[in-house]
């Protein structure tokens, strides 16, 4: 049995990855390390931990040297999959230092932990000799490439040009991973993915925030003129790509992950409005969860207000990247990965998941979320 140390496994993509591996890769045992920041929720993976001897949870910080060393001593870790990060661009504009701390120094601390436990000796040329079949996998982002105009795609050869404190910290993490590969010949890989969507996405990010606001009868904040483009990928497709790269990808390589699904933010918001409206038109029981309850003459709950009139254009994000678009040719040609879930299907699945899992939304937003929302959107 192989053993993966999955950091950030209580967050959006990490939790989906934990579920993906438990379902599709019976040969792998998981140690999940997560600090449970505002973005991490143990409830998301509670059943995966309690029902499964293949999955152990450890609460802790990736920057904690002692803890990381202890984990390597305690468990036969063959692979580190590093999801743990501060992940929200808007928060990085407010508090850059935390992003540098977690995303750069945390990654470096994990690299060192792995290096100390995976090096078995020294070759004649002075380079370390590595335990066989080990891998440090860094989960990175397309944001390291900066921003595109109307044409072109990010390939693995696109120069790094991060523009926000978040993307600068992720780029720095990629470079320190590369430095360990070049300097110590550490077996590493990196995936750079476009925007994910799907279950367990924290409602500070565009898609779950818009769903939540509609259900609460609130305005839908669109930054700037809504023309910014993101390239959306269903989260399970990302999980499959990461697993494929770890198991089959070449050491030392970067693989871009994306599904050729570019949409403007305005299109995304309109699609969500129409999807919710259609589901609630047909399945009336969902209307009971709306905060705005106007009863019509026929006794049904009014949903006519769920329309594009909810859209509010608000002050733009500072340094807002205009367009991201991934060219996934390398991972498709080399490893046979292609996305399975098309956007039209994925967005319906996602909206339904949120309608059916309001308790999860309430749980994860019960802490500082209201304060955050007021601070971020109050003066926009
Ligand atoms: P998330 O914010 O939902 O989850 C991050 C997780 O990391 C949380 O569970 C949090 O508690 C944990 N964490 C934060 N700081 C930690 C620390 N110091 N020690 C241990 N755990 C810590 O993020 P996400 O959207 O799931 O993103 C996961 C990774 O994927 C990130 O590295 C992100 O940069 C990358 N990524 C995200 C997307 C996307 O669209 N969400 C796309 C490409 C790449
Ligand atoms: O591209 C990959 C990246 O995608 C990941 O590396 C990040 O971790 C992840 O958070 C995501 O970053 P974005 O900034 O693209 O995602 P976000 O959901 O915050 O915003 C998507 C777009 O929607 C962006 O252009 C800003 C806009 N937006 C966002 C929010 C929260 C709005 O118009 N209104 C909003 O309220």
């Amino acid at each position: 049995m192989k053993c993966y140390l999955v950091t950030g496994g209580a967050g959006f993509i990490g939790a989906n990855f934990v579920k993906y591996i438990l379902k599709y890769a019976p040969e792998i045992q998981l140690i999940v390390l997560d600090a449970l920041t505002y973005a991490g929720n143990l409830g998301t993976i509670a059943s995966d931990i309690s029902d499964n001897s293949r999955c152990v949870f450890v609460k802790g910080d990736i920057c904690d040297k002692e803890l990381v060393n202890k984990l390597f001593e305690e468990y036969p870790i063959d692979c580190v999959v590093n999801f743990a990060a501060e992940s929200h661009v808007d928060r990085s504009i407010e508090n850059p230092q935390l992003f540098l701390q977690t995303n750069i120094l945390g990654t470096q601390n994990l690299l060192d932990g792995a290096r100390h436990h995976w090096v078995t000796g020294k070759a004649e040329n002075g380079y370390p000799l590595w335990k066989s079949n080990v891998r440090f996998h860094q989960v990175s982002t397309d944001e390291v490439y900066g921003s595109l105009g109307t044409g072109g795609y990010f390939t693995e050869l696109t120069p790094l040009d991060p523009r926000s404190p978040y993307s600068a910290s992720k780029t720095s993490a990629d470079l320190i991973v590369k430095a360990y590969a070049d300097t110590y010949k550490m077996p590493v890989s990196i995936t750079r993915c476009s925007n994910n969507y799907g279950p367990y996405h924290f409602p500070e990010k565009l898609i779950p925030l818009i769903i939540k606001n509609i259900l609460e009868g609130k305005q839908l904040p669109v930054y700037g003129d809504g023309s910014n483009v993101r390239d959306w990928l269903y989260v399970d497709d990302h999980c499959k790509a990461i697993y494929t790269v770890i198991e089959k990808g070449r050491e030392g390589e970067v693989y871009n992950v994306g599904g050729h699904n570019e949409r403007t933010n305005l299109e995304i918001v309109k699609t969500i409005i129409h999807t919710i409206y259609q589901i609630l038109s047909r399945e009336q029981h969902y209307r009971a969860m709306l905060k705005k309850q106007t009863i019509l003459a026929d006794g049904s709950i009014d949903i006519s207000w769920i329309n594009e009139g909810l859209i509010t254009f608000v002050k733009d994000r500072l340094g807002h990247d205009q367009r991201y678009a991934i060219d996934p040719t390398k991972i498709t040609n080399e490893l046979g990965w292609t996305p399975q879930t098309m956007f039209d299907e994925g967005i319906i699945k996602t909206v339904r998941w949120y309608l059916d899992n309001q308790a999860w939304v309430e749980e994860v937003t019960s802490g500082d979320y209201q304060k955050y929302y007021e601070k971020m959107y109050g003066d926009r």
Side-chain angles (χ1 to χ4, degrees):
M1 187 159 267
K2 282 184 90 169
C3 181
Y4 284 14
L5 173 63
V6 178
T7 70
F12 165 45
I13 309 175
N16 278 286
F17 184 76
V18 166
K19 292 173 194 298
Y20 182 90
I21 293 294
L22 292 176
K23 188 165 172 193
Y24 295 111
E27 76 287 3
I28 294 168
Q29 179 196 0
L30 301 175
I31 312 301
V32 177
L33 172 63
D34 197 298
L36 300 181
T37 67
Y38 78 93
N41 177 40
L42 198 50
T44 306
I45 53 166
S47 61
D48 305 296
I49 302 161
S50 61
D51 302 350
N52 208 306
S53 55
R54 283 170 53 212
C55 186
V56 171
F57 177 78
V58 179
K59 181 175 186 298
D61 192 328
I62 57 166
C63 301
D64 183 339
K65 204 177 177 72
E66 217 175 293
L67 173 64
V68 168
N69 278 325
K70 192 166 154 270
L71 291 179
F72 274 97
E73 274 151 28
E74 215 165 304
Y75 299 103
I77 296 164
D78 309 289
C79 175
V80 177
V81 197
N82 185 25
F83 290 96
E86 288 295 334
S87 69
H88 193 34
V89 174
D90 291 330
R91 289 185 190 253
S92 82
I93 295 167
E94 295 294 306
N95 181 8
Q97 201 170 69
L98 176 62
F99 283 68
L100 272 59
Q101 175 71 29
T102 297
N103 300 359
I104 308 174
L105 295 179
T107 301
Q108 189 271 332
N109 189 45
L110 291 169
L111 285 161
D112 254 2
R115 181 165 72 96
H116 286 128
H117 292 85
W118 289 346
V119 169
T120 55
K122 206 192 233 184
E124 272 179 16
N125 59 9
Y127 284 106
L129 291 169
W130 291 84
K131 201 176 151 190
S132 55
N133 294 322
V134 290
R135 178 68 68 88
F136 187 100
H137 184 78
Q138 177 68 3
V139 181
S140 184
T141 168
D142 58 0
E143 297 200 12
V144 300
Y145 298 119
S147 180
L148 291 165
T150 47
Y153 294 93
F154 296 136
T155 75
E156 291 78 0
L157 299 176
T158 302
L160 301 177
D161 184 23
R163 293 157 37 87
S164 72
Y166 162 73
S167 54
S169 70
K170 291 295 290 184
T171 309
S172 308
D174 283 13
L175 292 178
I176 196 74
V177 171
K178 180 181 178 303
Y180 273 58
D182 291 338
T183 308
Y184 308 113
K185 304 290 174 222
M186 186 170 190
V188 304
S189 47
I190 298 176
T191 39
R192 294 185 179 140
C193 190
S194 59
N195 286 60
N196 285 214
Y197 69 102
Y200 306 108
H201 205 179
F202 191 76
E204 65 184 349
K205 309 283 167 62
L206 181 69
I207 289 181
L209 184 136
I210 294 300
I211 298 172
K212 185 175 190 298
N213 279 18
I214 294 175
L215 298 182
E216 292 181 356
K218 287 187 182 158
Q219 296 293 300
L220 311 179
V222 171
Y223 298 169
D225 61 4
S227 68
N228 303 69
V229 173
R230 296 292 181 265
D231 183 357
W232 294 93
L233 184 74
Y234 195 67
V235 63
D236 270 1
D237 283 322
H238 186 193
C239 294
K240 186 174 180 192
I242 292 169
Y243 176 51
T244 305
V245 167
I246 292 170
E247 294 300 326
K248 296 202 211 135
R250 286 181 294 141
E251 265 178 39
E253 291 291 317
V254 173
Y255 294 88
N256 282 356
V257 184
H260 280 303
N261 182 53
E262 292 178 50
R263 312 260 161 156
T264 65
N265 294 337
L266 199 52
E267 277 176 88
I268 292 287
V269 174
K270 287 181 180 175
T271 303
I272 298 171
I273 295 170
H274 297 303
T275 306
I276 294 188
Y277 184 84
Q278 273 170 14
I279 295 176
L280 268 58
S281 299
R282 287 192 297 263
E283 297 168 58
Q284 296 223 1
H285 65 277
Y286 282 126
R287 299 186 191 187
M289 69 177 54
L290 295 172
K291 290 251 161 69
K292 199 166 156 181
Q293 296 271 339
T294 309
I295 311 294
L296 297 171
D298 66 358
S300 65
I301 297 166
D302 181 26
I303 56 166
S304 62
W305 55 270
I306 303 180
N307 60 48
E308 292 176 15
L310 291 173
I311 295 172
T312 314
F313 294 96
V314 299
K315 204 155 75 190
D316 209 353
R317 175 182 278 174
L318 301 181
H320 197 172
D321 288 343
Q322 181 56 34
R323 173 172 165 258
Y324 304 144
I326 283 276
D327 176 353
T329 304
K330 180 175 174 180
I331 189 169
T332 300
N333 288 355
E334 263 189 38
L335 306 177
W337 175 91
T338 50
Q340 308 292 302
T341 303
M342 294 303 103
F343 187 76
D344 292 345
E345 176 201 341
I347 195 68
I348 295 172
K349 262 166 71 169
T350 302
V351 167
R352 279 194 176 282
W353 187 88
Y354 279 89
L355 292 175
D356 292 333
N357 289 276
Q358 278 300 297
W360 180 87
V361 175
E362 271 157 38
E363 191 180 328
V364 300
T365 55
S366 61
D368 277 343
Y369 184 83
Q370 289 311 330
K371 266 193 254 160
Y372 166 82
Y373 194 86
E374 272 147 37
K375 182 165 181 237
M376 285 291 184
Y377 295 90
D379 64 352
R380 266 200 144 110

